[in-house]
Structure formats: structure tokens, C-alpha cells
Amino acid sequence: MNGQCIIDLATGQAHKSRMSEIFKGNFTQQEPIPEQGIEAALRVMQSGRLHRYNVAQGEISEAALLEQEFAAYTGAKYCIGVASGGYALACALRAVGVRPGDRVLTNAFTLAPVPGAIASTGAVPVFVGVTEGLVIDLDDLETRIDGAGCLVLSHMRGHLCDMDRLMQICDAAGVIVIEDCAHTMGATWNGVPSGRHGAVGCYSTQTYKHMNSGEGGLLITDDDQIAARATMLSGSYMLYDRHLVAPDPQVFEAIKYDTPNVSGRIDNLRAAILRPQLADLDAQVARWNDRYRVVEEGLQGTPGLTLIDRPKAGVYVGSSIQFLLLDWSADKIADVLARCLARGVELKWFGGDEPNGFTSRYDSWRYAPSERMPASDRVLRGIIDMRLPLTFSLEDCAQIARIIRAEVGAVWQGA
Ligand SMILES: *Cc1c(COP(=O)(O)O)cnc(C)c1O
């Protein structure tokens, strides 16, 4: 028990005092860029050669080195740095040959840049339902797969579906899989890095993801054709020989006059900032997961609150945590959010009628209309989300969990 008990004179009900502990941390405050990254960025700025193809005699650009290192980290043959995670997805779709009017499957629960990337190619997003485990509903996928050429699989909030079954379904149907790994950089499924199951893996290095260059993206693949096309698409001009991990020149020869330049390169400044972060990534993943486990532990057994099961086959990155208030009324959920916010704990609710700040639900993307999905709607109405930045200490995380537990409990008991 924590917090003192007071009597509400109006109702005669006892409840935990909201005057008790208040969390003072900032949910959007990331750690600073590592000192080595700052020094490398200064060197790039002093050189004046920020454009990735602007190299001195014999010099290898920071961008090319980052690509080489990220390919090595994931075990991919090729890596291409780009302007954003959303750009990486659209580039991947074009590189695998998606054409205007094509049906492209994707998650009903993801972030706006995912259906946005599909729409930007002129293709039509077709949404697949979400389970209570917050992953793509593989039974629903099977019913929708006919006639689709491609699936953009979003590992939304770091939840990995049964990747073995997913790949079986997609391989059997001849559907190309592009993985959105914005929340799974550093994660694995049965020992295979996220992004290495499908034909292409796409990552974001935007400030709120696992490496921070403000904006930025990475695309990996083992496929010669996809790699060459993605490189040309990203805006390589005819300078693709300045990449370190790229297909042979003959592969480019065959496609270079037929592949449009949809300019979206990464630059040396971002790459310089990212390289030391990549070297630290696994250590950072461990720190995220320490924080995640403290919050998860603190919320365990809270009446009315459902934690999300993390399958044993996956190594996740706990940079955010989700739980469900399944079948709660909208008013009660809003009450929990308001009470937590009053105590400094910022929760996001994906279930509100009007999207707040961002959109994560299929019914918010009306340029891609979909029939209602009642089972998914039930889950989406109950999803609560919270960021866990590394600037929080383990004690911060324990306190946050105590606050959520108390406020969910108070509203639940009042139910
Ligand atoms: C952030 C994000 C993206 C896109 O990344 P940007 O770099 O912001 O374009 C894609 N998918 C998900 C799930 C994300 O959270």
C-alpha cells in the first residue's frame, strides 16, 4: 500500500490521496548524443562535406560507413541510409515493384507514416486486424491475402508476431514482406534480428526511436535488385560506387536508366551522430528492458488492467510499454488518464474518438477506407501506451508504476 487514505466528504468513499507522490520526469526527454557523436559531427561540419557523395580523395563518407556497420549489425548484405523511416518504407515499396492501384496489406494498428508510405506510391492500403497481444492477426491476414502482392508488417510498439507462421503464410501466397522496424531496432525473433525475415527491413532514426539523429532512416536487404533500385531511388545519381555495401556495378547498369530518383538521402552529419549510437545499441536495449521490467512488475496483478504477454521467442526492446483497459467505458479510461496526468504520468490512449497528437488506428486514415473490424476495435479502444525514455531511472519507473496502479485501482473500484 502506498499513499495515505483520505475520506471524500461528499461521497463518504475512501480513496488514495491524490496529494501523494507526483512524478516529475519528462516523457519526451531523450538522452544527449554521445560525446563521440558530437565530436564526429563537429569534424563533419569543419570539413564542410555534409553531402554523402561529397568526399575528399580516398575518403569514405560517414554515411557509407554507417551503412556498412548497420549491415554488419543486422547481418544483412546491403544497407541504404535515407531521410526518414517513412521514406525507407516508400522506397522499399517502389524497389520491390509496387505500382499505383496495387493492394498493399498492413496493420490496422500502426503509426500514420506506414499507411502514408503506401499511399505515397499510389497503392491502396488494406488493413489487417490486431490481436490482444497487439500484433497482426494472422488468421485475419489469411482471409485478406488473396490478390495482395505485398505486406508492410509493422512491429508496432515492438510487439513481434509469430514470425515463422507469418512468413509461411506470406511465402505460400507469394506475398513480399517489408518490415517496419521503427520500434524493433535491436530486437530478435528466434535469434533472427527484426528486419531480417522479410525481403526488406526499414528503420527510423527519428528522435523517439532507438537511435536519434533527429530524422533519418535505414533500409536493409539481401536482394541485389532491391538494393540497387533502392539506392537509385534514394537519390544516388550515378555515384552509387561511393557506397561500401552495394551490389556489383552490373546490377546498377541494368536498372540505372529506368529507376527514378526520388531524392531522400541521409547526410554525413546524421550518420556521424548515429555511428557511436549503433556501437552502444545493445547496451541501450538492456537499459530499456531493465526499465520496462520494473514498470511491468509494478503493474502486475492490477485489477482491470491487462499486461501484454511478451512471447519467449522474441527479444524485445522496452522503449515503451502498453497495457489494455479492455471493455472499460471511454469515461473511465479518460478518468484514469486525467488522474495519472495530474500526478505527472503521461499516458497515451489510442482509443479516443478523436486522435490526439498522432494517429495509430485504421479508422483515422480515411483516404484508405476499411470495413469495421469489431474484434480489433475492442482492442484498439483499450490500448494505453507510455514511453520509457532512458532518462528515467529505475526508481522513476517504480514510482510511475505505483501511480498508475493506484489510479487504475481507484477508478476500477469506483466502477
Ligand atoms: C516513427 C515510425 C515510423 C516512421 O518513422 P519516421 O522516421 O518518423 O518517418 C514508421 N512506423 C512506426 C511504427 C513509427 O513509429
Side-chain angles (χ1 to χ4, degrees):
M1 297 294 277
N2 56 77
Q4 75 215 79
C5 220
I6 59 167
I7 304 296
D8 185 317
L9 292 177
T11 64
Q13 283 183 336
H15 61 83
K16 298 276 172 55
S17 170
R18 291 167 71 184
M19 305 294 290
S20 51
E21 54 184 347
I22 290 181
F23 178 62
K24 296 284 200 288
N26 179 345
F27 284 82
T28 54
Q29 182 59 56
Q30 306 293 54
E31 291 189 303
I33 300 302
E35 210 50 54
Q36 270 181 300
I38 294 172
E39 285 163 17
L42 285 174
R43 282 196 297 276
V44 169
M45 288 190 282
Q46 279 154 359
S47 80
R49 293 187 294 277
L50 276 69
H51 191 286
R52 69 164 300 165
Y53 298 120
N54 182 201
V55 287
Q57 194 76 46
E59 185 182 37
I60 297 170
S61 73
E62 289 282 336
L65 289 166
L66 172 68
E67 289 165 343
Q68 184 179 51
E69 290 161 5
F70 195 70
Y73 177 79
T74 53
K77 229 164 133 182
Y78 307 120
C79 173
I80 299 132
V82 293
S84 74
Y87 182 91
L89 290 168
C91 183
L93 285 160
R94 292 189 174 95
V96 304
V98 165
R99 295 270 168 271
D102 286 359
R103 283 159 36 90
V104 174
L105 298 159
T106 194
N107 306 58
F109 174 50
T110 180
L111 198 71
V114 178
I118 297 169
S120 80
T121 68
V124 181
V126 175
F127 298 109
V128 183
V130 60
T131 69
E132 284 181 36
L134 302 191
V135 297
I136 193 165
D137 181 339
L138 296 178
D139 297 331
D140 192 40
L141 175 65
E142 282 182 314
T143 70
R144 294 178 201 269
I145 204 157
D146 281 346
C150 187
L151 164 68
V152 179
L153 173 65
S154 184
H155 305 301
M156 180 62 172
R157 283 340 217 167
H159 299 280
L160 292 163
C161 70
D162 178 343
M163 287 303 298
D164 303 316
R165 183 171 164 218
L166 176 119
M167 289 310 300
Q168 265 168 19
I169 295 170
C170 290
D171 287 346
V175 165
I176 298 168
V177 177
I178 295 171
E179 293 181 69
D180 167 26
C181 305
H183 304 158
T184 54
M185 181 188 276
T188 62
W189 177 266
N190 278 335
V192 178
S194 181
R196 297 290 293 138
H197 291 87
V200 189
C202 297
Y203 304 79
S204 169
T205 61
Q206 186 242 73
T207 292
Y208 300 111
K209 312 300 163 89
H210 300 170
M211 299 198 293
N212 173 11
S213 58
E215 303 286 354
L218 293 158
L219 180 161
I220 58 168
T221 185
D222 284 348
D223 186 285
D224 290 359
Q225 291 291 322
I226 294 173
R229 282 199 219 106
T231 304
M232 294 296 298
L233 283 160
S234 78
S236 66
Y237 306 104
M238 298 296 159
L239 302 170
Y240 44 78
D241 63 345
R242 295 185 192 172
H243 287 243
L244 283 177
V245 281
D248 291 338
Q250 311 87 275
V251 184
F252 284 95
E253 287 301 326
I255 56 109
K256 68 183 187 184
Y257 298 112
D258 300 314
T259 308
N261 176 326
V262 187
S263 198
R265 292 170 300 274
I266 197 164
D267 59 81
N268 287 330
L269 198 49
R270 290 175 192 180
I273 290 171
L274 290 170
R275 290 180 61 213
Q277 294 181 59
L278 178 57
D280 274 351
L281 182 58
D282 287 339
Q284 299 291 77
V285 169
R287 293 177 63 218
W288 262 306
N289 290 348
D290 289 343
R291 283 155 183 74
Y292 184 95
R293 280 189 286 266
V294 169
V295 177
E296 187 182 44
E297 183 70 20
L299 294 180
Q300 211 96 50
T302 305
L305 180 151
T306 310
L307 286 164
I308 311 298
D309 191 39
R310 291 289 192 168
K312 293 279 173 293
V315 170
Y316 57 88
V317 184
S319 53
S320 68
I321 187 164
Q322 293 70 45
F323 57 84
L324 297 174
L325 298 179
L326 260 186
D327 303 324
W328 284 49
S329 72
D331 288 352
K332 292 239 155 52
I333 292 178
D335 196 16
V336 168
L337 262 66
R339 284 162 167 266
C340 287
L341 189 61
R343 294 180 63 180
V345 175
E346 234 177 89
L347 302 175
K348 305 270 186 219
W349 180 30
F350 293 121
D353 283 340
E354 271 306 305
N356 189 356
F358 52 86
T359 56
S360 297
R361 271 171 36 179
Y362 71 99
D363 56 338
S364 297
W365 306 313
R366 296 181 195 165
Y367 54 84
S370 170
E371 72 209 38
R372 299 244 46 118
M373 293 185 251
S376 296
D377 288 343
R378 173 170 176 257
V379 173
L380 291 169
R381 269 197 302 272
I383 302 177
I384 310 292
D385 179 271
M386 184 176 75
R387 286 199 177 112
L388 286 174
L390 290 174
T391 49
F392 290 180
S393 67
L394 296 181
E395 181 38 48
D396 288 340
C397 293
Q399 185 185 41
I400 289 166
R402 283 196 301 273
I403 291 171
I404 297 173
R405 189 183 188 92
E407 298 304 335
V408 168
V411 177
W412 177 255
Q413 272 151 33

